[in-house]
Amino acid sequence: MRLSARVDYALRAAAELASAAEASAGGHPVTAVQLAEAQQIPPKFLENILGQLRRSGIIRSQRGPDGGYWLARSAEEISLADIIRAIDGPLLGVRGERPEDVGYSGAARSLQEVWIALRASERAILELVTLSHIARDELPESVQQLTEDPKAWTKPVFFA
């Protein structure tokens, strides 16, 4: 799986907004500068990402001296997959297409099923984990179990 810098920044900013919401029982507006400083995100880059999250209905914003950003719904209702789709579109594509739309034949015919299974497993995790899990640093047990295998933490070697 490969995440763009834009998705990484969006997830980190959303986690900060979720944390602010939990810390103040509902949340208070957090400025873009506060988000950028908390996560070391370039402010100009962040403004565009926050705009995308706002247009997708994940966050809200208010201008003015008391303005800023906050989650549009509770952190329990916003999955990591929601944020990824808002920024980069579908979770898994093959050459920019949905796996079920790519034709495979001959010996490669089963590759289509591999890509669909991969998308399904990624989606299962990303739909399960919410901003609330991230803000509280309490991942679901099934996700924690996946990280217990030491191989999960090592960089894969594709060519020796």
Side-chain angles (χ1 to χ4, degrees):
M1 177 173 187
R2 184 176 177 99
L3 293 176
S4 68
R6 295 166 48 79
V7 166
D8 178 51
Y9 291 159
L11 290 167
R12 292 176 7 190
E16 287 294 329
L17 293 174
S19 180
E22 292 206 5
S24 65
H28 60 287
V30 180
T31 67
V33 171
Q34 290 170 316
L35 291 171
E37 288 175 357
Q39 290 295 323
Q40 295 89 42
I41 301 171
K44 191 169 186 168
F45 199 57
L46 182 61
E47 289 285 345
N48 185 30
I49 292 167
L50 293 171
Q52 281 185 272
L53 292 174
R54 187 176 39 77
R55 286 186 295 279
S56 68
I58 292 174
I59 66 173
R60 292 192 177 144
S61 65
Q62 176 180 321
R63 294 181 187 254
D66 295 330
Y69 298 89
W70 65 94
L71 296 177
R73 304 185 310 267
S74 74
E76 291 86 10
E77 296 176 35
I78 302 171
S79 72
L80 302 185
D82 293 332
I83 295 168
I84 293 170
R85 282 191 291 261
I87 300 298
D88 275 355
L91 296 179
L92 177 69
V94 178
R95 300 184 321 255
E97 297 181 49
R98 295 168 39 156
E100 58 271 22
D101 295 337
V102 177
Y104 290 96
S105 58
R109 194 175 19 234
S110 62
L111 274 178
Q112 184 178 43
E113 291 179 39
V114 171
W115 304 145
I116 291 171
L118 180 61
R119 180 182 61 192
S121 65
E122 283 182 8
R123 181 180 291 149
I125 293 168
L126 295 172
E127 294 284 358
L128 175 66
V129 179
T130 66
L131 287 177
S132 181
H133 291 118
I134 300 300
R136 291 182 312 208
D137 196 21
E138 296 175 2
L139 294 176
E141 182 65 29
S142 60
V143 174
Q144 288 179 0
Q145 287 174 355
L146 292 171
T147 66
E148 290 173 1
D149 181 357
K151 291 178 185 174
W153 294 91
T154 61
K155 185 175 182 179
V157 177
F158 293 106
F159 302 101

